[in-house]
Amino acid sequence: MLTIMVLCASVLAKAQQVKLNINITKIEAGKGTVVLNIYDKKEDFLKTVFLSKTLKADQSDLTFVVDLPKKGSYAVTVFQDLDNNKKLKQDWFGIPQEPVGYGNNFKPSAKPKFKECAVNVDSDNTTQTIKLY
């Protein structure tokens, strides 16, 4: 009986998951890695990452496939870590010194906000394309 309950709970949890496909373009192939960060809460944006994935920058276009627990808005940031130090290199003013991209291809003139970079995941399989600049 316990096994059946655990199995049912597992199936229900899996049924609620949604998939987010993020295509990254304009990558400098052969240089470092590409880091994807996803934020699920406005108050955590650019502070506490909800989910992070890294891929080797071996092509000019890459696709991240992310399983999320539920539909909703998720802010997305991406950067190419050219020096492989696992941090976005910035100048004194906080301006990125490595290729970056944001959800909805938002290009900030100041520090970006959650809603500007948020992708609305409203189906079981959502795709977003982000160009690094």
Side-chain angles (χ1 to χ4, degrees), residues 4 14 16 18 20 23 27 38 45 48 50 53 56 58-59 62 64 72 79-80 84 89-90 92 105 109 122 128:
I4 293 171
K14 197 73 165 165
Q16 293 174 352
V18 292
L20 176 60
N23 303 319
I27 297 167
I38 296 180
F45 185 57
T48 306
F50 169 68
K53 284 192 166 194
K56 188 173 182 177
D58 56 0
Q59 301 173 38
L62 292 172
F64 287 89
F79 72 96
Q80 185 169 356
N84 281 318
K89 185 177 180 183
Q90 300 177 356
W92 291 91
N105 282 306
S109 57
D122 57 3
Q128 168 91 178

Side-chain angles (χ1 to χ4, degrees), residues 4 15 30 32 45 51 60 75 83-84 86 94 97 110 115 117 122 133:
I4 293 171
F45 185 57
L51 186 138
S60 60
D83 56 9
N84 281 318
K86 301 191 184 351
Q97 300 299 299
K115 68 179 180 177
C117 305
D122 57 3
Y133 67 93

Side-chain angles (χ1 to χ4, degrees), residues 107-118:
K107 288 188 179 179
S109 57
K111 189 175 180 180
K113 294 179 174 44
F114 181 93
K115 68 179 180 177
E116 297 165 331
C117 305

Side-chain angles (χ1 to χ4, degrees), residues 9-124:
S10 175
V11 168
L12 284 173
K14 197 73 165 165
Q16 293 174 352
Q17 279 191 337
V18 292
K19 192 172 296 298
L20 176 60
N21 305 295
I22 302 177
N23 303 319
I24 310 299
T25 63
K26 305 275 185 177
I27 297 167
E28 293 181 37
K31 296 183 180 180
T33 58
V34 177
V35 179
L36 170 76
N37 291 319
I38 296 180
Y39 302 85
D40 64 339
K41 296 181 184 119
K42 179 177 150 183
E43 57 274 11
D44 290 342
F45 185 57
L46 300 179
K47 297 175 194 159
T48 306
V49 176
F50 169 68
L51 186 138
S52 185
K53 284 192 166 194
T54 303
L55 291 173
K56 188 173 182 177
D58 56 0
Q59 301 173 38
S60 60
D61 297 337
L62 292 172
T63 299
F64 287 89
V65 179
V66 181
D67 289 318
L68 297 170
K70 62 183 179 180
K71 295 177 183 177
S73 288
Y74 297 88
V76 178
T77 65
V78 184
F79 72 96
Q80 185 169 356
D81 189 5
L82 297 172
D83 56 9
N84 281 318
N85 70 349
K86 301 191 184 351
K87 295 178 190 170
L88 175 61
K89 185 177 180 183
Q90 300 177 356
D91 69 10
W92 291 91
F93 300 106
I95 297 170
Q97 300 299 299
E98 294 177 302
V100 296
Y102 299 94
N104 302 312
N105 282 306
F106 178 73
K107 288 188 179 179
S109 57
K111 189 175 180 180
K113 294 179 174 44
F114 181 93
K115 68 179 180 177
E116 297 165 331
C117 305
V119 174
N120 191 24
V121 181
D122 57 3
S123 68
D124 293 339

